[in-house]
Amino acid sequence: MNKIDAVSDMVVQSKRIVVFTGAGISTESGIADFRSPGGIWARFDPNELTYQKFLSSETNREKYWEFSKLLWPTIAQAKPNPGHYAIAELYHLGKLDCVITQNIDGLHQKSRVPEERVIELHGTMKWVNCLECGRRYPREQIQSRLESGEKVPRCDSCGGIMKPATISFGQPMPEMETREAEKRSAACDLFLVVGSSLVVYPAAQMPLTAKDNGAKLVIINLTPTPHDRYADIVIHEKTGEALSQIVEQVKVRLI
Ligand SMILES: [Zn+2]
């Protein structure tokens, strides 16, 4: 049996699938991550964009916002790819417990996975938060202000420092989301890693939690990951193609 058929069988036999996604699924929608060569990341040093730097000075915040202003149009215009739609299909087939994602682009929601089924471990670019009073602004609103020349936007209510609702390098993981993701990982019967190199902790712990609690583990990623040896099946392919083929097979078997 080939790997696609074997994973399809596992999906058919599962009732609570957790799909864990990373940058690899979004690169197929044209969103480069900081490990990708070229693009916006060639012009900015990730070490200059840490949470600590952001908090430390107005000059650093200006640099961060310059980066964020350039990144937003790509995120706003990005469309889900076949990989996202295949995952949404798992939801419609009643197989998906939730998607846990390291991505900040909202593409799972755009592919019509309901908001409450998506756990965003690294936050989202859709909102901007005031770090003082907690007021939340739609990103489009702040983007217009940046485009009209504001360098470092401040909160209208309290004048506080504002930051995109993403988890930056060096910023603590969101407690509620992390706890929920760990709980779902422990309770699923199939844990499907899609496009994550599984190097960032504590996120990288979740497939192992699933496995320890009796779930099957499948990893679909273009390059090897440190957890490949724990997986029941590993597929080193583009995520869009592999997932589409798997879901097509699943539909054939379910009908
Ligand atoms: Zn405020």
Side-chain angles (χ1 to χ4, degrees):
M1 190 187 282
N2 72 33
K3 288 179 175 184
I4 297 290
D5 286 344
V7 178
S8 309
D9 276 353
M10 284 182 188
V11 171
V12 169
Q13 284 156 22
S14 303
K15 292 191 173 69
R16 295 169 63 88
I17 301 176
V18 167
V19 179
F20 181 96
T21 64
I25 190 168
S26 292
T27 50
E28 292 172 39
S29 286
I31 299 173
D33 84 322
F34 70 96
R35 292 184 190 85
S36 312
I40 182 173
W41 288 100
R43 297 171 49 190
F44 294 88
D45 177 358
N47 297 318
E48 297 295 314
L49 302 171
T50 65
Y51 190 51
Q52 286 67 27
K53 286 268 165 98
F54 184 87
L55 295 179
S56 70
S57 80
E58 193 73 356
T59 314
N60 287 334
R61 285 190 281 280
E62 191 174 324
K63 193 176 290 174
Y64 186 98
W65 277 111
E66 189 192 335
F67 161 78
S68 190
K69 178 184 162 190
L70 286 170
L71 181 61
W72 173 248
T74 307
I75 302 286
Q77 288 153 25
K79 293 193 170 54
N81 64 62
H84 294 102
Y85 287 117
I87 294 167
E89 193 98 56
L90 291 178
Y91 167 73
H92 294 295
L93 292 168
K95 294 288 185 185
L96 183 75
D97 180 61
C98 69
V99 178
I100 301 171
T101 188
Q102 297 174 293
N103 301 331
I104 53 162
D105 49 43
L107 287 176
H108 291 296
Q109 292 91 329
K110 278 192 192 168
S111 71
R112 297 192 184 280
V113 176
E115 186 77 46
E116 70 274 12
R117 297 291 185 112
V118 183
I119 302 174
E120 294 172 311
L121 287 180
H122 295 172
T124 174
M125 270 197 88
K126 209 177 141 190
W127 301 101
V128 174
N129 293 333
C130 170
L131 299 181
E132 310 293 328
C133 74
R135 183 170 165 189
R136 196 165 80 150
Y137 297 76
R139 173 62 197 225
E140 288 83 2
Q141 203 179 313
I142 302 301
Q143 187 74 11
S144 318
R145 285 166 60 173
L146 294 168
E147 278 162 13
S148 345
E150 242 179 278
K151 300 273 186 221
V152 183
R154 290 267 176 176
C155 177
D156 288 339
S157 306
C158 74
I161 295 172
M162 295 204 292
K163 185 183 168 296
T166 52
I167 305 298
S168 299
F169 301 105
Q171 192 170 354
M173 295 287 287
E175 271 179 44
M176 204 178 73
E177 283 81 358
T178 306
R179 216 179 310 122
E180 186 65 16
E182 281 165 354
K183 201 175 91 189
R184 303 287 190 110
S185 301
C188 70
D189 53 9
L190 173 61
F191 194 97
L192 197 58
V193 175
V194 177
S196 172
S197 44
L198 297 177
V199 287
V200 185
Y201 277 82
Q205 180 58 38
M206 289 168 196
L208 304 181
T209 302
K211 188 76 186 157
D212 286 346
N213 284 277
K216 294 257 197 276
L217 174 60
V218 173
I219 298 177
I220 304 171
N221 195 49
L222 203 50
T223 54
T225 82
H227 293 350
D228 283 4
R229 63 200 155 126
Y230 303 114
D232 295 277
I233 298 177
V234 177
I235 299 178
H236 291 149
E237 261 186 57
K238 282 197 164 185
T239 59
E241 276 164 43
L243 271 179
S244 310
Q245 288 173 19
I246 289 164
V247 171
E248 279 314 304
Q249 282 297 318
V250 167
K251 280 157 70 183
V252 168
R253 280 159 217 226
L254 285 176
I255 292 162

